[in-house]
Amino acid sequence: MNDVLWTPDPCRAAAAAMTRFRHLAARKSGRDLGDYDALWRWSIEDREGFWSLLWEFCGVIASTPWDAILENGDAMPGARWFTGARLNHAENLLRRRDGCEAIVCWRENGARSAMTFAELHDTVAALRVWLEAKGVGRGDRVAGFLPNLPETVAAMLATASLGAVWSSCSPDFGARGVLDRFGQIEPKALICADGYFYGGKTFDSRPRVADMLADLPSVEAVAVVPYVEEAPDLSSLPNAVSWSEATADAPADGVAFAQVPFDHPLFIMYSSGTTGAPKCIVHGHGGTLLQHLKEHRLHCDLQPGDRMLYVSTCGWMMWNWQVSALALGATLLLYEGNPAHPAPAILWDFCERERMSVFGTSAKYLSAIEKAGVKPGETHDLSRLRLVMSTGSPLAHESFDYVYRDVKADVQLSSISGGTDIVSCFALGNPTLPVRKGELQSRGLGMAVEVFGDDGRPLPAGGKGELVCTRPFPSMPVGFWNDPDGARYRAAYFDAFDNVWRHGDWSAVTGDGGMVIHGRSDAVLNPGGVRIGTAEIYRQVERFDEVLESLCIGQDWEGDVRVVLFVVLRPGHGLTDELTAAIRRKIRMSASPRHVPAKVVAVADIPRTRSNKISELAVRDIVHGRPVKNTEALANPEALKLFEGLEALKS
């Protein structure tokens, strides 16, 4: 059992929505639900009881009640939730229509903008009118190629209000990467910006948009948000109008919300695509809404008036996840640009000045600011901050220590894990449970998460294996786009274990009911037949001040697999024999002899996906002389050249 770093104040735990929901569930079910573990077990044993009670507890807005809560209840895929119900995702997010701030956006150039709930509602209503006038209706796709702006949120909500389908990419994608995504779904309308800022530089998006439109004949209408220029020239973009023109006509009676089935498509999201064309994952109105309400209301204890930041682009699922906080009357805090520009502590300036209560980021960010010497607890007023969240990769033990030492001692630190595949989480935080170093606090309510061995049987506590979900849940994908018989969908998640979702994480359930994620199972190392999660190595290596980041792969070698570790070093440091020996010694002592890399190689950069995840599989392919099928999925594909034909790996 890992060290307990934080325990909720008893009064705070008693007042949490999770506690109130547990008491209500006990009364409704007639069961003794004395703690979270009992509540979690009830939520997966009585799925209909749990999800219908959650619907009631969160006040889901629907024009028509359901006929059945769950049909084909044991089928994965095949289960159907809340059949007969009619609702709209956007209607549930636009409940408020007042003068309080709905969205506050900071931009790296120092600009601040805000939109009230009333202004957001009116903007959505006006853009909906424009989209409808352009022929966009139920099931049509609207694509967003946008920075993380209030207008991006409004565009998504307007699309959803029509029953159309929203899909977005961040503007740092190249034209080929965008076409690999949008080209598959054939959008009828495109919402874009004239450009964006990043790292102190200005980028003009219009040439790329023009190139994209030449290969997207389905697009009949384009609206352009002015961002880097006040009045951008749109002459190079056919059928384009300015954002102000597209939102000029707000109807007096507000937004009309199309009432659609629970599983009607809402979002099309994309797999990372580094092993081929990105998979187009379709998520539905009701499943996305209900899952996000559960996670925000119960697992984050989010309340009206809370102010939430999740550092993201609109090409990562955490953007979609954060936006749903509007349904609870929370204020979205958006940061557009480089989260370390113009200074490493800029997000903590944001936190202090905007009275932030929830701060969400990546494990990589926390590691980076620790190494940069940022100590927000000493320099900033964080009195309103109660929850810090991290995802994207496993959060190292040292980052847990960093948060409680240098950020805030009395804060809930939630490492969370799920993904684009479910647009939500399998394991996440819990305001009523302690935080233990290196652990995710709990498995999510309603999520029948287990860890399986190769034989398809659950492993005991502490056993490392595949993270699986053994029963259906509402935010499973509706399907994949252009996959009429569901073959690609089944192959993605159900090829390993019959009727069981295999997520692709190498994990363990702890004795106290938490979880540990050891890395992606498709990147698991296998030296001498012993399976090793890469996160176990990263944790040791990145303790060294000389190391900025690292990446580990298994290299096929002489009939076996040897562990190869790549390190990016701080400026002014070299990979000396002494440092190499110290790294190996630390790994041997703190992990095991099996974890010790046969080769340690210094590189200048490490390839990352556009959601800032290191791409172990791409490096493994390059090292083995195999092509990377889709380099457009990488934010820095030029880094792959650093791994080609390395002499150090030839002996």
Side-chain angles (χ1 to χ4, degrees):
M1 184 179 295
N2 288 317
D3 298 339
V4 172
L5 300 176
W6 176 84
T7 301
D9 176 88
C11 293
R12 175 175 166 179
M18 181 72 80
T19 301
R20 298 200 304 275
F21 182 81
R22 179 167 57 82
H23 292 328
L24 178 62
R27 291 197 301 272
K28 293 274 189 176
S29 67
R31 293 176 56 163
D32 179 11
L33 304 178
D35 57 17
Y36 181 76
D37 183 66
L39 177 64
W40 176 76
R41 293 189 182 282
W42 169 74
S43 75
I44 61 175
E45 292 166 3
D46 183 3
R47 287 166 290 162
E48 296 187 29
F50 166 71
W51 290 105
S52 61
L53 182 61
L54 181 72
W55 179 298
E56 174 189 326
F57 186 82
C58 293
V60 172
I61 299 170
S63 61
T64 306
W66 61 80
D67 296 325
I69 298 171
L70 180 58
E71 294 181 351
N72 303 323
D74 292 322
M76 285 205 294
R80 296 190 63 212
W81 293 89
F82 296 97
T83 55
R86 294 292 184 273
L87 75 170
N88 188 282
H89 182 83
E91 183 175 13
N92 280 272
L93 270 58
L94 290 171
R95 302 176 192 220
R96 292 185 67 172
R97 195 177 177 181
D98 56 38
C100 295
E101 289 177 332
I103 307 172
V104 174
C105 180
W106 274 31
R107 307 168 185 184
E108 69 164 46
N109 64 358
R112 179 191 190 272
S113 62
M115 189 178 285
T116 68
F117 285 98
E119 289 168 341
L120 176 60
H121 188 282
D122 291 347
T123 302
V124 170
L127 187 62
R128 184 192 195 279
V129 168
W130 180 79
L131 287 169
E132 194 168 31
K134 297 300 180 182
V136 176
R138 293 192 188 196
D140 289 329
R141 279 74 62 207
V142 176
F145 185 59
L146 288 158
N148 186 19
L149 303 173
E151 291 86 348
T152 311
V153 177
M156 182 277 283
L157 292 170
T159 301
S161 74
L162 281 163
V165 187
W166 173 258
S167 190
S168 56
C169 288
S170 57
D172 56 340
F173 273 71
R176 185 69 259 164
V178 178
L179 290 170
D180 285 345
R181 290 157 173 79
F182 294 166
Q184 295 187 66
I185 67 169
E186 300 177 302
K188 182 171 280 190
L190 174 70
I191 315 293
C192 63
D194 60 334
Y196 64 100
F197 303 100
Y198 196 86
K201 297 179 180 179
T202 302
F203 298 87
D204 188 346
S205 295
R206 286 167 293 184
R208 269 177 299 154
V209 173
D211 289 345
M212 288 156 36
L213 289 173
D215 290 313
L216 286 174
S218 62
V219 174
E220 299 176 7
V222 179
V224 182
V225 176
Y227 183 39
V228 301
E229 297 179 9
E230 287 188 14
D233 180 1
L234 306 183
S235 60
S236 63
L237 306 179
N239 302 318
V241 301
S242 68
W243 178 260
S244 59
E245 183 176 342
T247 57
D249 298 319
D253 53 354
V255 184
F257 298 102
Q259 299 300 298
V260 297
F262 188 86
D263 58 359
H264 183 80
L266 169 69
F267 298 138
I268 297 177
M269 308 180 76
Y270 304 96
S271 64
S272 60
T274 53
T275 57
K279 295 186 287 288
C280 303
I281 305 168
V282 184
H283 289 292
H285 275 245
T288 303
L289 173 69
L290 202 55
Q291 184 79 316
H292 288 182
L293 285 172
K294 178 199 74 178
E295 294 182 347
H296 290 315
R297 189 72 190 95
L298 302 183
H299 288 276
C300 297
D301 202 32
L302 205 64
Q303 304 168 41
D306 273 332
R307 297 168 74 84
M308 172 196 271
L309 166 76
Y310 214 106
V311 184
S312 180
T313 71
C314 65
W316 188 24
M317 59 130 313
M318 294 310 300
W319 182 86
N320 306 69
W321 186 88
Q322 179 191 6
V323 170
S324 292
L326 290 169
L328 297 175
T331 299
L332 307 183
L333 302 179
L334 310 180
Y335 187 82
E336 170 51 32
N338 184 333
H341 186 87
I346 184 64
L347 293 184
W348 300 100
D349 297 342
F350 195 11
C351 182
E352 176 182 79
R353 294 178 197 171
E354 297 295 345
R355 309 178 311 283
M356 192 181 298
S357 47
V358 180
F359 184 111
T361 185
S362 66
K364 174 62 183 170
Y365 172 81
L366 292 174
S367 174
I369 62 168
E370 179 184 10
K371 293 199 171 187
V374 177
K375 298 183 178 182
E378 296 180 5
T379 56
H380 292 75
D381 177 4
L382 308 180
S383 57
R384 293 177 181 266
L385 182 66
R386 73 163 192 276
L387 173 61
V388 174
M389 290 184 288
S390 168
T391 192
S393 59
L395 187 63
H397 286 55
E398 292 68 33
S399 292
F400 278 82
D401 289 333
Y402 166 70
V403 168
Y404 285 104
R405 181 186 66 243
D406 292 330
V407 178
K408 189 174 183 180
D410 184 18
V411 72
Q412 180 191 347
L413 174 58
S414 296
S415 179
I416 66 178
S417 183
T420 299
D421 316 79
I422 63 170
V423 73
S424 58
C425 303
F426 281 121
L428 66 169
N430 189 317
T432 67
L433 295 178
V435 173
R436 292 182 167 87
K437 187 188 300 187
E439 294 186 16
L440 290 73
Q441 285 179 281
S442 63
R443 289 171 280 187
L445 290 174
M447 310 298 279
V449 174
E450 303 284 354
V451 173
F452 275 13
D454 292 339
D455 60 359
R457 297 177 181 275
L459 293 172
K464 298 173 186 175
E466 293 278 0
L467 187 154
V468 301
C469 194
T470 61
R471 296 185 181 182
F473 50 94
S475 66
M476 291 172 62
V478 173
F480 286 179
W481 195 257
N482 291 330
D483 183 28
D485 62 357
R488 296 176 64 208
Y489 179 26
R490 289 190 297 273
Y493 310 112
F494 305 103
D495 60 344
F497 309 112
D498 184 45
N499 211 48
V500 169
W501 177 292
R502 181 182 70 95
H503 193 56
D505 281 340
W506 193 244
S507 311
V509 175
T510 67
D512 49 60
M515 292 202 76
V516 176
I517 307 295
H518 295 286
R520 291 292 297 170
S521 59
D522 52 13
V524 162
L525 311 173
N526 199 28
V530 178
R531 303 186 77 184
I532 295 170
T534 53
E536 300 171 81
I537 294 175
Y538 300 147
R539 179 188 161 197
Q540 310 307 326
V541 177
E542 295 184 11
R543 291 184 178 187
F544 288 85
D545 289 337
E546 299 92 333
V547 178
L548 282 175
E549 58 183 345
S550 59
L551 181 147
C552 201
I553 66 164
Q555 182 190 14
D556 297 338
W557 189 257
E558 295 181 348
D560 197 357
V561 173
R562 67 178 181 182
V563 178
V564 177
L565 174 67
F566 300 99
V567 292
V568 178
L569 300 172
R570 282 180 178 274
H573 292 277
L575 185 61
T576 62
D577 291 343
E578 292 77 12
L579 179 56
T580 299
I583 289 172
R584 285 178 166 146
R585 185 164 56 249
K586 180 64 177 175
I587 293 171
R588 180 182 296 274
M589 293 174 59
S590 299
S592 82
R594 289 285 188 186
H595 291 73
V596 177
K599 295 283 185 177
V600 181
V601 182
V603 291
D605 197 7
I606 284 174
R608 295 183 168 277
T609 67
R610 294 184 182 274
S611 56
N612 207 32
K613 298 176 183 178
I614 62 174
S615 187
E616 297 156 320
L617 297 184
V619 170
R620 192 171 70 188
D621 282 342
I622 289 292
V623 165
H624 288 97
R626 300 188 293 262
V628 177
K629 296 180 181 178
N630 190 0
T631 57
E632 283 285 349
L634 298 174
N636 56 338
E638 66 280 359
L640 291 175
K641 294 186 180 298
L642 302 172
F643 299 84
E644 292 178 353
L646 289 171
E647 288 296 324
L649 302 187
K650 294 179 180 179
S651 61

